[in-house]
Amino acid sequence: MVSAAPFVPANLPLPDLYARVSHHIPPMEWPILAGDIEAILALKRDHNAVILAHNYQTPEIFHTVADIVGDSLALAREAAATDADIIVVAGVHFMAETAKLLNPNKTVLIPDSAAGCSLAESITAEDVRQLRARHPGVPVVTYVNTSAAVKAESDVCCTSGNAKKVIESLGVPRVIMLPDEFLAQNTAAQVPGIEIITWAGHCEVHELFTADDIRSVRESYPGVVVLAHPEAPPEVVAEADFAGSTAGMVDFVGEKRPARVALVTECSMSDNVAVQYPEVEFVRPCNLCPHMKQITLPKIRRALEQRQYEVTIDPALAERARVAVERMLAVR
Ligand code: 13P
Ligand code: SF4
């Protein structure tokens, strides 16, 4: 369990920031990180830049340099609202593309252009055109974890935080939902009466969890409350006490304050939420997302110093993709 009052040794730089991450970072490593953090904070001020960080970013990013943190939906909403000149996305490429779609005249940077996503890789624009041809007139609901080219072929986007609402908002008996098969199956269970045509894309992090994993966590940690992400297979979601987006999990912990909780998702989630709720014991059956972990403090610093890597999208394609994202944001 995380202790409530972290010990901060004397003479460490940026002691207030260190106190937030002292449970994860040994004091001897801090001065090196603090150098990058100080530089990033100054660069943000000098260039009117903002850092959007996903819940899967490491604590030293999430709790020190990020201006806005959250799930994919919150980051999209905040990207639409910011008045910064430069947006740095500490997350994966599709998140940076979404920010660019909503801010065509701003500079959007991703600190490592190789930070991809197995879901985004699982489908192309041509695949969507073929699906449409096979199911004429059936609307296409596309998870934001996709390229701008795939979004451009879609009617509306969704995230794991609003999939049910987006589908219900269409008022039709059949939808195509891409590309996450498990999210589609888990959402289908919440919208009886609506047929959902799926695609066989998977998140390489969440597809690894099994119902047995959850049963063994319950055996080893009596009383544990298990939260799963809807990108996990339906049998995993069925074993969990709650399934929701990463923000849904954070809210659940904040509202219910379980004594012991397992966030069956990416590893940094527990690290980040534990800082906020030191009285909660976090059990960690987690997997790392290799794409999210491409983003580091030195790369964020370099992104701001060298304006790299700038996200660009063909304007005609962006125009069509933006419609699908804006339709999603209009669903409340
Ligand atoms: P959330 O929208 O729930 O944050 O999920 C994004 C993601 O990539 C999960 O794997
Ligand atoms: Fe993609 Fe899964 Fe990584 Fe999220 S956790 S970015 S869905 S591979």
Side-chain angles (χ1 to χ4, degrees):
M1 188 175 329
V2 182
S3 69
F7 169 66
V8 179
N11 303 325
L12 275 187
L14 305 175
D16 292 349
L17 292 183
Y18 182 66
R20 298 185 196 170
V21 294
S22 60
H23 300 297
H24 305 284
I25 295 165
M28 61 195 294
E29 283 179 22
W30 179 247
I32 296 170
L33 300 179
D36 283 328
I37 291 167
E38 268 179 324
I40 291 167
L41 296 177
L43 285 158
K44 282 200 302 180
R45 274 194 306 272
D46 293 349
H47 300 287
N48 189 26
V50 73
I51 297 179
L52 308 186
H54 185 261
N55 289 326
Y56 293 164
Q57 291 296 294
T58 52
E60 69 270 21
I61 294 172
F62 189 93
H63 286 292
T64 67
V65 297
D67 299 286
I68 288 148
V69 295
D71 66 355
S72 308
L73 182 58
L75 297 187
R77 286 201 193 287
E78 295 294 342
T82 184
D83 55 11
D85 296 318
I86 298 175
I87 301 170
V88 180
V89 176
V92 292
H93 195 261
F94 76 80
M95 295 174 177
E97 269 195 341
T98 304
K100 181 66 183 177
L101 288 174
L102 295 166
N103 292 282
N105 300 320
K106 291 186 177 167
T107 301
V108 176
L109 305 173
I110 176 110
D112 188 322
S113 53
C117 170
S118 64
L119 282 167
E121 289 302 310
S122 74
I123 190 159
T124 65
E126 179 54 25
D127 293 328
V128 186
R129 287 190 287 270
Q130 287 185 14
L131 265 172
R132 271 198 194 279
R134 240 178 288 144
H135 304 284
V138 180
V140 174
V141 178
T142 291
Y143 197 26
V144 286
N145 298 38
T146 46
S147 65
V150 165
K151 289 183 176 76
E153 298 295 332
S154 310
D155 294 292
V156 60
C157 287
C158 74
T159 73
S160 58
N162 63 11
K164 177 175 184 277
K165 273 192 191 161
V166 167
I167 286 175
E168 286 174 342
S169 76
L170 297 173
V172 294
R174 273 181 109 200
V175 301
I176 298 167
M177 189 173 178
L178 333 152
D180 187 341
E181 183 175 30
F182 298 145
L183 176 66
Q185 290 169 344
N186 288 321
T187 308
Q190 300 177 323
V191 291
I194 302 179
E195 185 196 346
I196 297 192
I197 298 160
T198 63
W199 181 259
H202 297 144
C203 161
E204 68 188 88
V205 173
H206 292 94
E207 71 175 343
L208 299 179
F209 295 115
T210 66
D212 268 353
D213 291 339
I214 299 201
R215 286 189 284 269
S216 68
V217 164
R218 287 197 195 280
E219 255 176 55
S220 307
Y221 299 91
V224 69
V225 175
V226 178
L227 313 188
H229 195 278
E231 288 173 5
E235 61 274 19
V236 172
V237 167
E239 286 288 333
D241 298 297
F242 168 83
S245 76
T246 56
M249 292 187 199
V250 176
D251 292 347
F252 185 102
V253 174
E255 281 161 27
K256 311 268 187 212
R257 304 290 172 102
R260 185 176 248 189
V261 71
L263 307 186
V264 182
T265 185
E266 213 275 345
C267 300
S268 291
M269 266 293 289
S270 293
D271 297 342
N272 290 330
V273 188
V275 171
Q276 237 178 313
Y277 301 108
E279 73 281 15
V280 176
E281 180 190 2
F282 288 80
V283 178
R284 294 161 197 253
C286 65
N287 292 321
L288 282 169
C289 173
H291 311 290
M292 289 281 181
K293 275 11 309 172
Q294 294 299 319
I295 308 300
T296 60
L297 284 172
K299 288 183 191 174
I300 293 174
R301 179 177 179 171
R302 219 172 307 133
L304 282 162
E305 284 170 346
Q306 300 177 16
R307 302 261 169 131
Q308 67 183 29
Y309 297 91
E310 187 166 354
V311 177
T312 56
I313 308 171
D314 170 74
L317 184 143
E319 188 76 24
R320 292 191 292 132
R322 189 176 310 117
V323 171
V325 175
E326 283 176 345
R327 277 191 191 137
M328 168 186 86
L329 294 178
V331 175
R332 289 287 176 169

